[in-house]
Amino acid sequence: MAEQAVAATGGGVRHALRRAVAPLTSAATVRAGVYLVIGGVLAGAYVTLATGFVQMFADPTTPRAAVAVLAVVTAAIVCTPPFLAPVRALEIAAVRTFLDVDAPDLPDLSGALSVATRWRAAAWFALHLTLGGLVTLGLLVAVPLATQLALSAAGIDRAFLVQLSPALARHPAAWAALAVVALLAVPYLATLARHLLRQAAVPLLGPDQTARIAELEARADRLAERGRLARELHDSVGHALTITTLQAAAAARQLETDPAAARRSLAAVEETGRAAMADLDHVLGLLRGADGPDGADGSARGAGRGPRAPARTLADLPALVDDARRAGADVHLTADDGVLDGGDGAVPRVVAHEAYRVVQEALTNAVRHAPGSPVTVQVRFDRSADSGRRGRALEAAVTNPLVEAPHPDGAAPVAGGRGLTGMAERVRLVGGTLAAGPDGGHWAVRARFSC
């Protein structure tokens, strides 16, 4: 125990020594020193300008009115830069580089700066110049003083220090010690100023409450867009993979007994793959549209890839059902007049797209989890009294018998994924409701959209 205590004490001492000498050996001290010297030079220019005006006011031969006007104009010119957005951006870049402040703590603000943000930037500018002036002054005093002390300790030009402190004249070693202390004081002063600046950087240069709220809202929008793209990929690619798997399995079983049917299954695989590629191209187009001139409606052209496929709507339901039937599913589709063809009862495009994706995901789940069972797809208008003041509602329902039998190929059932969650998010985004679960021996997915 005693040895462990001694070792711990020794480790603590070494750690304390490393922290004590860190300002003398750290590159961060050098970077902070450069930043502070820049501030000191700027502070010197301001002090020189102010001193010149004081001297002009003190001179009785100088016309006071002209000097006052010149002083006001000069003050307006030299005090404006700290409030400008480019100067604030330069200060943020310098703080990241020289003071090692993390970039996420000082985000680049888009749009016009608020008055409060400009005042905080000006306060940072003043703090930078004040601390920089103090460090620069300490440097300008410490280096010549240490040089003189070292020369005096070596017996060269002792007259200055003899006049300054006769008591030290008899102790040359004290002069050398003072020279070392004077030089060491500069990096420690720079380290202290760096600590103060790092503490003040985020409060003075960071975003204010309004900007933080705007940034959080923009982040929420980005996350919502990512979720939307993820749902698009999940629904389109998941459906294509399910149909392709079933068609490939059917082709494998029929390859020797019914080559013609196997070829039809393989052709369906090819067609499903092409449709999935079109859907993928559409989703990638949405992603590119966030950063480029291409829009999200599928009307623009990608780089050398031709027109992007438009977003699928209820008009594509018959093709979706045909794909499922070719995969061996027993699917029955019923729809009210005007739902699929966009006639008098045309559904808003955004609702038609989300309704299509919900039906696609529900149909995919039915084919995946209850293969061979009949599936009913129904899309109709509801004009009942509870459909709201805005007229009618669109209802989309997919039902299939509950099946507990094993998969016909002997494979394990597919584990549940994010299908129901994605459908609920889709329906909720357009102000609808979703109900999914057992219903009298059937599994039913019912989505309701306001039109």
Side-chain angles (χ1 to χ4, degrees), residues 232 311-317 320 338-342 345-360 379 381 394-396 426 430 447-451:
E232 291 286 334
R312 297 183 182 274
T313 64
L314 290 175
D316 298 298
L317 270 186
L320 177 70
V339 173
L340 304 182
D341 58 8
V347 181
R349 185 173 182 83
V350 62
V351 174
H353 173 67
E354 301 301 338
Y356 171 86
R357 289 303 191 193
V358 168
V359 173
Q360 181 188 47
V379 185
F381 289 120
L394 176 74
E395 289 189 349
R426 284 185 178 278
V430 292
R448 183 184 180 87
F449 305 88
S450 175
C451 294

Side-chain angles (χ1 to χ4, degrees), residues 121-428:
W124 170 266
F125 187 83
L127 179 64
H128 175 202
L129 266 60
T130 301
L131 293 179
L134 292 176
V135 172
T136 303
L137 180 62
L139 181 66
L140 293 178
V141 171
V143 172
L145 179 60
T147 302
Q148 183 63 55
L149 288 170
L151 292 176
S152 298
I156 304 173
D157 191 13
R158 296 185 176 182
F160 172 76
L161 290 181
V162 170
Q163 296 176 359
L164 182 65
S165 179
L168 293 177
R170 296 185 298 272
H171 305 284
W175 298 350
L178 286 176
V180 174
V181 170
L183 289 178
L184 294 182
V186 176
Y188 284 100
L189 181 61
T191 299
L192 176 60
R194 175 180 182 269
H195 176 74
L196 295 175
L197 288 173
R198 282 173 56 88
Q199 292 295 319
V202 175
L204 296 181
L205 291 179
D208 57 14
Q209 185 176 7
T210 302
R212 290 181 187 277
I213 293 175
E215 177 62 24
L216 289 175
E217 291 176 347
R219 182 181 180 185
D221 291 341
R222 291 193 297 269
L223 292 176
E225 181 66 14
R226 288 174 59 186
R228 185 170 73 93
L229 294 177
R231 288 192 298 272
E232 291 286 334
L233 285 174
H234 174 273
D235 293 349
S236 60
V237 177
H239 171 77
L241 289 176
T242 298
I243 299 299
T244 299
T245 301
L246 294 175
Q247 291 283 14
R253 290 194 303 268
Q254 299 168 342
L255 187 59
E256 295 182 357
T257 59
D258 193 349
R263 283 194 295 270
R264 287 194 298 270
S265 296
L266 293 175
V269 169
E270 179 183 4
E271 184 177 349
T272 302
R274 292 182 186 277
M277 286 296 296
D279 283 344
L280 181 61
D281 186 69
H282 168 68
V283 175
L284 293 178
L286 294 177
L287 186 61
R288 290 195 302 268
D291 300 318
D294 295 346
D297 57 356
S299 60
R301 292 178 177 269
R305 297 191 59 180
R308 294 199 299 268
R312 297 183 182 274
T313 64
L314 290 175
D316 298 298
L317 270 186
L320 177 70
V321 171
D322 289 341
D323 288 343
R325 287 170 179 165
R326 283 195 296 269
D330 182 12
V331 184
H332 304 275
L333 172 64
T334 59
D336 285 355
D337 294 337
V339 173
L340 304 182
D341 58 8
D344 290 337
V347 181
R349 185 173 182 83
V350 62
V351 174
H353 173 67
E354 301 301 338
Y356 171 86
R357 289 303 191 193
V358 168
V359 173
Q360 181 188 47
E361 178 62 20
L363 180 58
T364 301
N365 290 340
V367 173
R368 181 186 302 165
H369 298 291
S373 299
V375 182
T376 301
V377 178
Q378 185 179 35
V379 185
R380 68 183 185 90
F381 289 120
D382 179 15
R383 304 175 186 271
S384 59
D386 62 349
S387 59
R389 296 186 204 171
R390 289 178 286 180
R392 57 190 175 182
L394 176 74
E395 289 189 349
V398 179
T399 59
N400 61 273
L402 287 173
V403 179
E404 297 182 359
H407 194 278
D409 292 335
V414 181
R418 298 182 177 87
L420 289 178
T421 302
M423 285 190 287
E425 290 174 350
R426 284 185 178 278
V427 176
R428 186 172 58 251

Side-chain angles (χ1 to χ4, degrees), residues 46 74-88 118 121-122 125:
Y46 278 89
T74 303
I77 294 175
V78 299
C79 292
T80 298
F83 296 90
L84 300 179
V87 175
R88 178 181 178 277
R118 293 180 185 275
F125 187 83

